[in-house]
Amino acid sequence: MPRVNSERAQALWRGIVDALRGELSSLVIDTYIEYAKGVDVTDSAFVLCCENTVAKEWIERNRREYIEKRLSAELNAPITLVCLASDEEAREYVAEREKPDGSSFSSEFTFENFVVGGSNRFAAAAAQAVAQGSTSSYNPLFIYGGSGLGKTHLLYAIANAYRADDSGRNVIYVRCEDFTNEFIETVRVGHLRSGREKEFRDKYRSPDLFLVDDIQFIAGKEQTQEEFFNPFNTLYEAGKQIVLTSDRPPKDRARLDERLRTRFESGLICDVQPPELETRVAIVKNKAASLGLALSDQVVSYIAENVTANVRQIEGVVKKLQAFAALLREPVTVTTAQQAIGDVFTEKMPPTADVIIDECERFYDLEPGSLASKRRDGKTARARQVAGYLMRVMPRMSFPEIGRALGRDHSTMIYAVEQIDGKRKNDPQLDTDIKDLMLNITNRQ
Ligand code: ADP
Ligand code: MG
């Protein structure tokens, strides 16, 4: 079991911070460096947990080389810096590393606890056929649909079924994003460490079952698509089973390599839709039973009727109710369910760019439409920077997305977000304004 080496990582990081103090202003240290923590150090990587996304990006852009050079010299091996953007990501990283058998898929998702209804019947049946190995014509199997509708659940279920029959077949599950990152890292250190690239290629050529989650992350990344195509094709031609998930069908994917698209379309494509009422009722019951929570029929219907978009939210509500029930020590009523639904929605739904723009324009007393307009007076410019900052920290939009929402290019928005992030720490008025705005925005939902 790989062990996380956090003490050593933290000690190394303190050394780097001390060295950086000599060359960076205390403002920069305070804003980006001081609150980062060393999470882990391996023989080829150093994992750093940054305070937030902005700090992570600053460090990656400005001090990556410096840090890698220093660590490589100190540890006498080429070290890659891996930055995480929150404590939550750090916890996930640690949990992943310390999993007992190093597997990266969870055994709690199975076909048994997947509720089948009209919205997912086809996908579930195809997944089951693939898991039983009873067909070779569903290759690749491509499952698409919105977030929280059970795509990952089905992938895990296939993997778990494959594993359970212990024929020694080799399963690889990979989130497309991780594959991409792993690939980039391999290329980055490839020229330093020969063998690393071969290792990467060998790894992705060996499985009998290859599961790739959230393939949408590959769109537009040409080199990664190229790299992905090779193992994909090798496996495909060797008759190995491949299952892919995506948020949209292949034909809707602009910026997807034509060869990949053709391959994806050559097998079976099926979708998962939001569950209909009956299925939602079954899911609520199922989830409550698995948590040992008793719910009246009235409460079950209330939840099923009011939480309609996705299964993840249904689960969130049932979990919340379990917590309430444990706290209040009384049976769950429709009123409690109402409150749980309210909580889950405000927690889960990030505000949209439009709401943020609207609230900033009101707050700063600007005409609607000012922020995305060409106006450059001081008040508008400041409000625009704040809006960009809020889009970054609340719905965590990417800089190009923020730029599009505000009619600016992405580098302007990187600068704007940095400005506000830096100023907030020394300008109590700005800090209060931002907190008020956040409250207004959250209350809008
Ligand atoms: P996706 O990958 O499509 O975003 P997930 O597979 O992660 O969604 O599903 C989100 C949550 O909802 C998971 O906890 C999953 O177990 C649960 N879930 C989704 N669909 C079903 C279903 N049909 N029956 C039971 N649980 C489901
Ligand atoms: Mg998923």
Side-chain angles (χ1 to χ4, degrees):
M1 177 193 332
R3 278 243 144 263
V4 171
N5 204 346
S6 58
E7 268 170 44
R8 175 102 175 99
Q10 188 52 15
L12 286 164
W13 178 243
R14 292 319 324 167
I16 291 173
V17 175
D18 288 342
L20 285 171
R21 274 190 213 288
E23 56 157 301
L24 294 172
S25 74
S26 59
L27 180 64
V28 169
I29 294 276
D30 256 14
T31 315
Y32 302 119
I33 309 287
E34 181 68 32
Y35 298 101
K37 293 182 286 272
V39 176
D40 192 17
V41 53
T42 70
D43 56 5
S44 62
F46 181 82
V47 184
L48 182 69
C49 172
C50 307
E51 196 192 359
N52 51 38
T53 321
V54 178
K56 169 182 153 144
E57 273 161 18
W58 190 92
I59 292 174
E60 284 177 334
R61 210 168 42 247
N62 298 290
R63 283 296 176 278
R64 171 188 280 286
E65 251 178 76
Y66 175 94
I67 294 170
E68 288 183 343
K69 240 189 221 157
R70 232 190 115 91
L71 288 171
S72 302
E74 196 153 342
L75 300 171
N76 215 0
I79 298 293
T80 304
L81 175 67
V82 178
C83 291
L84 309 175
S86 63
D87 286 342
E88 196 186 330
E89 282 184 22
R91 272 193 299 277
E92 272 170 26
Y93 169 88
V94 171
E96 197 61 41
R97 285 273 296 170
E98 298 202 328
K99 265 194 192 147
D101 57 357
S103 78
S104 56
F105 55 87
S106 162
S107 55
E108 73 187 90
F109 301 104
T110 58
F111 286 117
E112 285 72 42
N113 59 23
F114 188 81
V115 178
V116 178
S119 55
N120 57 28
R121 190 179 309 281
F122 186 38
Q128 228 151 358
V130 161
Q132 286 156 6
S134 58
T135 174
S136 57
S137 53
Y138 299 168
N139 201 19
L141 173 62
F142 192 103
I143 304 173
Y144 73 90
S147 166
L149 297 181
K151 300 182 297 294
T152 300
H153 189 133
L154 284 174
L155 276 193
Y156 285 156
I158 297 174
N160 285 318
Y162 240 68
R163 264 188 164 182
D165 83 353
D166 67 31
S167 53
R169 288 178 301 182
N170 181 3
V171 181
I172 287 190
Y173 166 89
V174 67
R175 293 192 318 139
C176 189
E177 217 180 344
D178 295 338
F179 178 88
T180 312
N181 291 341
E182 206 180 323
F183 171 66
I184 292 169
E185 198 182 316
T186 305
V187 172
R188 279 173 40 74
V189 297
H191 56 282
L192 297 170
R193 288 202 138 194
S194 57
R196 184 77 180 260
E197 286 194 62
K198 185 172 176 306
E199 220 174 87
F200 177 81
R201 296 224 159 81
D202 289 350
K203 173 173 166 193
Y204 288 108
R205 273 189 186 148
S206 62
D208 300 297
L209 174 62
F210 188 32
L211 308 169
V212 191
D213 209 356
D214 292 326
I215 193 86
Q216 65 265 24
F217 286 106
I218 216 169
K221 294 175 183 137
E222 274 165 40
Q223 216 191 346
T224 317
Q225 292 196 16
E226 185 74 27
E227 194 58 27
F228 184 76
F229 186 76
N230 292 325
F232 180 85
N233 215 28
T234 313
L235 290 170
Y236 179 81
E237 277 171 359
K240 305 295 178 64
Q241 178 69 49
I242 300 164
V243 187
L244 309 147
T245 73
S246 176
D247 61 344
R248 269 178 268 162
K251 69 173 166 43
D252 284 7
R253 286 253 76 94
R255 305 195 305 150
L256 184 65
D257 183 290
E258 205 43 52
R259 293 175 306 168
L260 278 178
R261 188 199 317 267
T262 313
R263 278 290 197 237
F264 291 169
E265 286 176 341
S266 67
L268 181 70
I269 300 180
C270 44
D271 66 342
V272 283
Q273 293 288 332
E276 51 291 279
L277 181 64
E278 235 172 273
T279 315
R280 296 200 299 274
V281 167
I283 290 171
V284 174
K285 286 190 175 155
N286 193 283
K287 193 68 203 172
S290 79
L291 293 172
L293 175 68
L295 294 181
S296 67
D297 284 351
Q298 205 194 356
V299 170
V300 170
S301 320
Y302 184 82
I303 300 171
E305 273 159 21
N306 286 283
V307 189
T308 56
N310 92 44
V311 183
R312 192 172 287 127
Q313 286 172 351
I314 298 178
E315 282 194 348
V317 170
V318 178
K319 276 190 196 150
K320 191 118 243 168
L321 280 179
Q322 188 202 26
F324 281 164
L327 214 62
L328 302 173
R329 293 166 195 279
E330 54 190 45
V332 174
T333 61
V334 168
T335 317
T336 342
Q338 239 164 357
Q339 197 185 339
I341 291 173
D343 280 8
V344 166
F345 276 83
T346 38
E347 265 167 29
K348 288 277 158 69
M349 303 293 252
T352 62
D354 288 345
V355 168
I356 294 176
I357 289 177
D358 190 48
E359 285 301 329
C360 289
E361 285 171 347
R362 272 180 212 222
F363 190 89
Y364 288 101
D365 209 11
L366 299 166
E367 300 273 312
S370 310
L371 290 191
S373 76
K374 292 207 157 58
R375 292 183 54 171
R376 297 178 54 179
D377 59 283
K379 191 162 83 164
T380 313
R382 166 53 67 93
R384 188 178 292 126
Q385 288 191 332
V386 169
Y389 175 79
L390 292 170
M391 288 178 197
R392 188 69 187 155
V393 296
M394 296 182 80
R396 291 180 171 273
M397 287 163 61
S398 70
F399 286 112
E401 282 168 346
I402 298 173
R404 273 194 295 282
L406 291 168
R408 296 293 184 281
D409 67 30
H410 84 282
S411 55
T412 310
M413 294 328 301
I414 293 176
Y415 174 77
V417 172
E418 267 178 14
Q419 285 280 306
I420 299 297
D421 194 55
K423 283 196 187 132
R424 221 188 136 175
K425 301 209 160 86
N426 304 302
D427 180 344
Q429 184 58 50
L430 177 64
D431 191 53
T432 317
D433 288 354
I434 288 178
K435 285 182 183 141
D436 286 347
L437 268 163
M438 284 178 166
L439 267 180
N440 294 351
I441 291 166
T442 316
N443 286 339
R444 273 277 287 267
Q445 295 180 298

